[in-house]
Amino acid sequence: MEKSELKELKLFAANLRKNILTAVYSGKSGHPGGSLSIADTLTYLYNKVMNIDPKNPNDPDRDRLVLSKGHTSPALYGILAELGYFPKEELTKFRHIGSFLQGHPDMKGVPGVDMSTGSLGQGLSAACGMAISAKVTGSDFKVYAILGDGEIQEGQIWEAAMFAAAKNLDNLVAIIDNNDLQIDGRLRDVNSPYPINEKFEAFGWHVIDAVAHDFDSLASAFAEVEENRGKGKPIAIVQCSIKGKCVSYMEDRAEWHGNAPNKEQYEQGISELDQLIKEIEEE
Amino acid sequence: MADVIKKATRESYGEALAELGAVNDKIIVFDADLSGSTKTSVFKKAFPDRFFNVGIAEANMMSIGAGAATTGLIPFCSTFAMFAAGRGFEQIRNSIGYPHLNVKIAATHAGLSVGEDGASHQCNEDISLMRVIPGMTVISPSDDTTTKAAIKAAAEYYGPVYIRLGRMAVPVIYNPDELDYKIGKGIVAAEGDDVTIVATGIMVSSALEASKQLKEEGISARVIDIHTIKPLDKDLILKAAKETGKIVTVEEHSIIGGLGSAISEFLSEEYPIPVIKIGVNDVFGESGPGAEVLKKYGLSVENIIDKVKLAVAK
């Protein structure tokens, strides 16, 4: 990847992370850990992969994104605000009475949200419904679903995985965010979903590995996605990620799954991200 | 007396769906390995490219329907009522109801009249479960004519709709040329002044038979067919309450949470009068021929007549 392009992506992701912290801090509740772990992936998807137009959020031909791990709404709201779907100031009203930025994504209220999610395990099925509709109507839009690694403990994920392969939904990409933590701790200590890759392969998916916090790795993963379009198989990207990435005290800590930072912690996080932005600019 | 024509409402559904498919290419149908029983097989045969069998995965089917609806298609999702409203409840609530998506859930094999399959398959709870979801329309047709009208009306209406259908053949009540069908508007199926029987689904024909027999004994029982339980036709119920002073509700559903509850909830605030509820009395059913199971659990013409007499005597 070109250095300038890389720099641009890194800056975008750092600003997105600031949006995430601001939303969760303002709401005094929310899920920062898993939002930060998907910040780079969302950055790459919305800037480099998806066919979208913030000025025309209901374009029937747009690509769709279903945030199946809906509790990480701060990341989705953060990127939609960054792209201009709605004013950034709205992020400070996250989880407030009367705000359209509900705790979990509400497609009726937020421009750019393609599916209401929040109850784990349902988003991949909804994405299947969108993907099969594209096949029925001859549309060529693509559908992306972002799943939590803990979320795949839900049985419905595997009902959807079976369906997607059986119906040859090669216009569907599932991204499994493998930060290895859920509310109660390490995945293997709660109820291991491992090995993830082999499970999706056994269900008939083309599986790609990626490192979530490395744009070159994401670029090659999405290049492999495009090479495998039209081959009759749904595609899964299993990305290894770090919960709380780029905020030192949150990194790889389960307790930051669903807790908001206090004022001091918020300011520390923002200052770390400002420092990161400075370093990227000086690169 | 002319022979009574009988037909299961699921049969009417299959035919109506296929007719609809021919004129509306936005109709897409999902079934969960029961297309031969739910009769979506009729649509499948006519429009194989717009029919998808999701296999035995009802929760998945509901969320898939939701996703399909976001793209502008009109999905019909079908399975037995037990697995649609029961197993799929949370998916219907969160993926369909909360975003108010245009999904039609056509659930067959509702209630005790499923018969031989027994209590595990006799869903007497679906009206209750669907009714509490904000924005959900709940329809329970009584015969072939109202089922066909309901399917057409549901497709023309934007929003989530639950349509409750039966397995057992039931009398055709209405002439399609004379039926003025509107979602949310009940039908006065028989006139009467002493008491009103408010019935829904397959119990409407039994209510009509009861009304006929009661007439011979000098009791004039109005029969209202509430084919849409939500939104409830409050004007029609209020009028009947005021004019007849007594109401008996009849439904092939638990007396908790269904039609009887809906009527009681409304009248207790608007015009409190005695409401006697006939339905499944908070028990599970059992195996047996549908008509016999209905009779054993109180859903017979005889029991309706007894309860109406009780109401009139009050």
Side-chain angles (χ1 to χ4, degrees), chain B residues 173-184:
Chain B
I173 302 169
Y174 307 101
N175 177 344
D177 299 331
E178 291 166 10
L179 182 74
D180 178 21
Y181 186 94
K182 282 192 186 70
I183 290 176

Side-chain angles (χ1 to χ4, degrees), chain A residues 25-178:
Chain A
Y25 172 68
S26 305
K28 295 188 174 63
S29 86
H31 299 77
S35 297
L36 292 165
S37 69
I38 59 167
D40 300 302
T41 310
L42 285 178
T43 296
Y44 194 80
L45 265 171
Y46 275 88
N47 287 295
K48 297 290 171 189
V49 180
M50 288 171 64
N51 171 33
I52 45 118
D53 175 7
K55 293 199 171 50
N56 192 7
N58 298 318
D59 180 356
D61 297 323
R62 74 190 186 280
D63 288 343
R64 266 72 166 179
L65 184 124
V66 179
L67 186 65
S68 196
K69 44 179 271 183
H71 55 283
T72 59
S73 56
L76 182 57
Y77 299 159
I79 197 157
L80 293 175
E82 198 64 34
L83 291 167
Y85 280 85
F86 52 82
K88 263 193 183 184
E89 301 85 74
E90 296 292 337
L91 294 173
T92 61
K93 299 174 197 158
F94 175 58
R95 291 192 171 218
H96 288 209
I97 286 279
S99 168
F100 62 82
L101 298 181
Q102 292 291 295
H104 296 81
D106 171 11
M107 65 184 287
K108 288 203 311 297
V110 192
V113 169
D114 294 319
M115 183 66 207
S116 297
T117 52
S119 175
L120 293 176
Q122 301 183 26
L124 186 58
S125 306
C128 284
M130 295 174 184
I132 206 154
S133 297
K135 298 266 182 192
V136 167
T137 57
S139 311
D140 63 0
F141 66 79
K142 313 290 192 290
V143 186
Y144 300 87
I146 300 183
L147 280 55
D149 51 4
E151 183 186 8
I152 66 174
Q153 289 161 349
E154 289 280 4
Q156 191 181 338
I157 291 294
W158 302 101
E159 295 182 4
M162 199 186 296
F163 177 86
K167 310 301 180 197
N168 306 113
L169 300 182
D170 51 12
N171 51 355
L172 171 68
V173 177
I175 297 151
I176 297 98
D177 183 38
N178 186 203

Side-chain angles (χ1 to χ4, degrees), chain A residues 108 119 122 125 156 167, chain B residues 53 60 63 90-91 95 98:
Chain A
K108 288 203 311 297
S119 175
Q122 301 183 26
S125 306
Q156 191 181 338
K167 310 301 180 197
Chain B
N53 203 328
N60 190 34
S63 305
E90 205 251 0
Q91 283 73 15
S95 287
Y98 179 39

Side-chain angles (χ1 to χ4, degrees), chain A residues 260-280:
Chain A
N262 60 28
K263 187 164 187 287
E264 193 187 333
Q265 288 164 330
Y266 170 65
E267 282 165 0
Q268 186 193 329
I270 292 293
S271 126
E272 286 180 15
L273 289 165
D274 282 336
Q275 179 60 30
L276 178 67
I277 288 170
K278 207 175 143 208
E279 284 166 18
I280 297 164

Side-chain angles (χ1 to χ4, degrees), chain B residues 144-162:
Chain B
D144 175 62
T145 313
T146 48
T147 299
K148 286 176 174 163
I151 299 304
K152 190 164 173 281
E156 285 165 4
Y157 162 86
Y158 184 92
V161 181
Y162 179 84

